[in-house]
Amino acid sequence: MRKENRVAHGSVKDDEGRIGWLDVAKGLSILLVVFHHAAQTGASIGHGWAVFSTLDALAKPIRMPLFFAIAGLFAAGALSRSWVRLLTGRVANLVWLYSLWTVIYWLFFRYFDPTDGLKPLGLSKWQLIYMWIIPPSGQWFLWLMAIYLVLAKAIARFRGPVHLSAIFLLCALSAEAAADLPHYPWRNGLLYVPFFIGGAWYGRALAEWAPRHAAMLIVGGAAGFTALWMLTRHPGAHIGLSMAGLMEAVGVAPLLNRISWLKRPLLFFGRRTLSIYLGHGLVIAALSMPLSVLPLGDHAFLWVTPFLMLFSLFGSLVLHDRVGSLGRMWLYSEEGMRQSLPKRLRI
């Protein structure tokens, strides 16, 4: 990941060759993802708070558009490779991580289910077969990323603002039909594809442009977000709302990058997004069982969600650090796994 967080012009790089505000934006996006799952779990075990639910709803149009736009930016280099290198490299890595961690989550909920059957995982062995069509876990992001990479490579020759606008318009017009799809990964796949492709096509230019126009992005994004929020009952408005939310986030991130006491934790989490994304769900699920049965008092709704968020953030990083080099090789990197195989079995 370090080598990919670069742009052509050194004027926007920090002393490590990285664009600081992009790491801050990554940190912001993963915090929103973890907060979403913590708030959901807190509510499901009877310790939800309306304030957290409202904040989570407001963050929804920002959370995944930002996540996918940044992922698209980081994927730009991989898309310039040949089909063989793309499929055996980045796509193979995503397929490995998705399949491995979906099985890990399935086994966890199958044999150590702390949710008393509330999670739709581990209920059937058939899930391990149809997971390739219907992702049954929070790893749907990896599933979509593999699909998006293949799609973005296939349409690379159509790169241009007109075609990107057409993709956004097509997704907006088909959003109502997508809302009737039975599985949320399918709905999300249609909703977030323009943000990934936009990040892949124009993310590098945006990385240079955004810090110089942060105020304009914040004001314009906030105005659009406020205006479109009232129309969210119409499925097509979600694309516009997500675009406005993305503008806000891209404007805010360079400003946060200038505030040292906020920058440090956001950089810390932003440079560890994969470990957090893969492991935080297990930590939240494991903690939800004792929290659901212990007498926590009348004010538990105030601290359960922040508690779940904090412990899952650091718990996922501890998990990454404690599994050792062999575990990291297999659990967090397809390339490392492949290198550990006998040479005759390597692709």
Side-chain angles (χ1 to χ4, degrees):
M1 191 68 76
R2 285 182 175 272
K3 293 181 180 179
E4 292 175 311
N5 191 8
R6 302 171 183 266
V7 291
H9 301 287
S11 59
V12 297
K13 297 178 184 177
D14 62 16
D15 57 357
E16 292 182 348
R18 299 175 67 96
I19 307 171
W21 79 264
L22 281 179
D23 282 330
V24 167
K26 286 176 62 185
L28 180 62
S29 68
I30 195 64
L31 289 180
L32 292 176
V33 169
V34 177
F35 173 73
H36 168 65
H37 292 140
Q40 272 192 332
T41 302
S44 70
I45 62 177
H47 299 298
W49 188 21
V51 172
F52 291 140
S53 297
T54 300
L55 290 174
D56 186 42
L58 289 171
K60 180 180 179 180
I62 303 172
R63 181 173 60 242
M64 296 314 295
L66 178 62
F67 216 66
F68 276 107
I70 295 175
L73 186 155
F74 290 153
L79 293 173
S80 65
R81 301 170 186 166
S82 67
W83 272 106
V84 172
R85 290 189 63 197
L86 177 68
L87 293 175
T88 59
R90 184 68 65 86
V91 173
N93 188 56
L94 289 166
V95 170
W96 166 255
L97 292 176
Y98 169 70
S99 58
L100 175 63
W101 281 88
T102 298
V103 171
I104 290 173
Y105 274 79
W106 186 90
L107 290 171
F108 178 81
F109 286 106
R110 179 77 168 183
Y111 299 105
F112 307 99
D113 186 0
T115 66
D116 195 23
L118 295 178
K119 291 285 185 179
L121 267 172
L123 304 179
S124 168
K125 295 178 182 178
W126 286 104
Q127 287 181 316
L128 298 177
I129 297 176
Y130 66 68
M131 60 183 268
W132 301 106
I133 302 174
I134 307 171
S137 73
Q139 311 313 313
W140 61 269
F141 171 79
L142 302 171
W143 179 78
L144 277 182
M145 276 288 295
I147 295 173
Y148 285 171
L149 277 168
V150 174
L151 175 63
K153 179 68 174 178
I155 64 172
R157 62 192 180 97
F158 299 109
R159 172 175 174 169
V162 174
H163 291 107
L164 182 60
S165 300
I167 293 171
F168 270 98
L169 180 60
L170 179 63
C171 291
L173 293 176
S174 58
E176 187 167 0
D180 295 328
L181 293 174
H183 306 290
Y184 70 90
W186 296 357
R187 299 192 293 269
N188 291 345
L190 188 61
L191 182 62
Y192 299 128
V193 63
F195 297 98
F196 177 84
I197 293 176
W201 286 1
Y202 298 108
R204 292 176 182 269
L206 181 65
E208 297 182 359
W209 183 85
R212 300 194 297 268
H213 302 85
M216 182 180 71
L217 287 168
I218 294 172
V219 173
F225 194 91
T226 303
L228 288 168
W229 182 260
M230 305 303 295
L231 301 174
T232 51
R233 292 184 179 180
H234 190 283
H238 285 288
I239 293 290
L241 190 65
S242 295
M243 291 176 65
L246 180 61
M247 286 177 60
E248 285 187 88
V250 170
V252 167
L255 298 183
L256 295 178
N257 192 47
R258 301 174 188 172
I259 305 173
S260 59
W261 63 275
L262 288 174
K263 174 183 177 179
R264 290 191 185 96
L266 288 171
L267 285 176
F268 176 81
F269 293 123
R271 293 175 179 177
R272 295 163 176 83
T273 52
L274 180 63
S275 301
I276 294 172
Y277 180 82
L278 292 173
H280 78 277
L282 290 177
V283 180
I284 288 178
L287 290 172
S288 66
M289 182 171 62
L291 292 177
S292 65
V293 298
L294 291 175
L296 303 180
D298 295 335
H299 298 92
F301 67 92
L302 292 173
W303 60 265
V304 165
T305 293
F307 173 84
L308 287 171
M309 182 177 179
L310 183 65
F311 270 76
S312 63
L313 281 169
F314 289 102
S316 58
L317 295 177
V318 170
L319 175 65
H320 176 272
D321 291 339
R322 294 302 179 189
V323 293
S325 59
L326 181 60
R328 284 195 296 272
M329 186 180 298
W330 283 77
L331 293 176
Y332 298 95
S333 170
E334 175 272 342
E335 181 180 358
M337 178 276 296
R338 184 166 41 184
Q339 292 300 319
S340 69
L341 293 174
K343 289 185 177 181
R344 66 178 182 278
L345 296 179
R346 298 179 190 175
I347 298 175

